[in-house]
Amino acid sequence: MAQGDDRPVAVARRRGRPVNSDSVETRNRILRASRQVVNERGYQAATFQAIAVAAGLSRPTLHYYFASREEIYQSLVVEAGAVVAELADRARRPATLVGQFAALVEAVREADSRDRSQIAFIVSARLESARNPELRPYASTGLRDCLATLVSAARARGELSDGVEVATVVDVLYAMLLGVVFYAGFVDDADDVFPITSQLVHLVSHGLVSDGRISATRCDTNDDTPSVVGGQL
């Protein structure tokens, strides 16, 4: 370069990853580490220092990608919502509510086998929103909304008997599904979840529905314990 020439010198880019792929990978690395910390220790423990250690990065690097841990958490919820959207898409394919719930449970199991931390975070997000009021705007990953849509459609198709409340069926299925998600994400290995999900689907299909419709419960005349009517809930 001639003296006095201030033009920048072109530097040949090394072959390998596409432009910006390192930045995308670093951001994903931060989010994976953040999910790990939140799942294992809770949101209050998910400081920039803890996340940096888990990610193997410096705190300035984290600040370059995220302004605050609230921003990180919001990104985690968005990712979890995308996972739930995939689960919901699978659930909508069968024609009946029981078939849809079975498809949803199977989709959870498959998602757990791909990335356990994503499934675990669905439960963590629900718990952390209860513990931390500032996280309540990010409480929902869409799982309950998915069930509400499925059950409402089942009502329109006549799959719910008169007297059965949509909200009650949604809450029952949501509680069972959260149990599966919790077990898959925190308790056991992915391979051990299959027998559990299979039994749950069997229980729902044979106990919740026997003649094609979900019935309301009644109480026995001798005591106040709810009983199963004709194999129905």
Side-chain angles (χ1 to χ4, degrees):
M1 181 165 57
Q3 186 175 3
D5 189 349
D6 294 328
R7 290 176 298 176
V9 177
V11 178
R13 183 179 299 277
R14 290 181 298 174
R15 292 183 179 180
R17 297 181 179 179
V19 178
N20 293 328
S21 66
D22 287 339
S23 295
V24 171
E25 174 54 33
T26 300
R27 186 179 188 277
N28 290 338
R29 182 175 173 181
I30 293 170
L31 291 177
R32 284 194 299 269
S34 302
R35 221 171 22 244
Q36 174 187 338
V37 175
V38 172
N39 288 342
E40 294 178 356
R41 299 164 57 187
Y43 175 74
Q44 291 300 332
T47 62
F48 262 45
Q49 180 62 29
I51 295 171
V53 170
L57 299 169
S58 66
R59 287 183 60 181
T61 300
L62 264 66
H63 281 287
Y64 177 81
Y65 287 91
F66 297 97
S68 64
R69 69 173 180 171
E70 289 82 5
E71 184 180 341
I72 293 177
Y73 191 83
Q74 185 177 6
S75 297
L76 293 178
V77 172
V78 170
E79 283 193 340
V83 171
V84 171
E86 293 179 5
L87 303 180
D89 181 66
R90 286 276 300 275
R92 283 190 292 266
R93 297 173 189 176
T96 66
L97 178 59
V98 170
Q100 291 167 346
F101 185 73
L104 189 55
V105 170
E106 174 61 16
V108 167
R109 187 186 69 81
E110 291 181 6
D112 173 66
S113 67
R114 293 193 301 269
D115 188 343
R116 194 177 200 192
S117 69
Q118 286 279 17
I119 293 300
F121 184 77
I122 293 173
V123 173
S124 296
R126 188 67 187 88
L127 295 175
E128 295 304 322
S129 67
R131 296 170 180 161
N132 304 281
E134 69 271 26
L135 299 182
R136 286 174 187 167
Y138 314 121
S140 175
T141 57
L143 191 59
R144 193 183 187 284
D145 293 339
C146 168
L147 288 170
T149 299
L150 297 178
V151 176
S152 296
R155 160 71 78 186
R157 291 192 300 268
E159 292 183 41
L160 274 64
S161 297
D162 294 339
V164 174
E165 296 291 335
V166 168
T168 301
V169 177
V170 171
D171 287 340
V172 169
L173 296 181
Y174 186 49
M176 289 192 290
L177 191 59
L178 277 183
V180 170
V181 172
F182 174 80
Y183 199 92
F186 290 98
V187 178
D188 221 330
D189 294 331
D191 291 341
D192 297 325
V193 175
F194 179 72
I196 296 170
T197 56
S198 298
Q199 286 299 314
L200 176 61
V201 170
H202 179 82
L203 172 66
V204 170
S205 60
H206 289 77
L208 187 63
V209 176
S210 63
D211 65 354
R213 296 211 303 170
I214 300 173
S215 295
T217 58
R218 66 171 177 81
C219 293
D220 290 336
T221 55
N222 295 330
D223 56 46
D224 294 331
T225 304
S227 64
V228 174
V229 183
Q232 299 172 340
L233 179 64

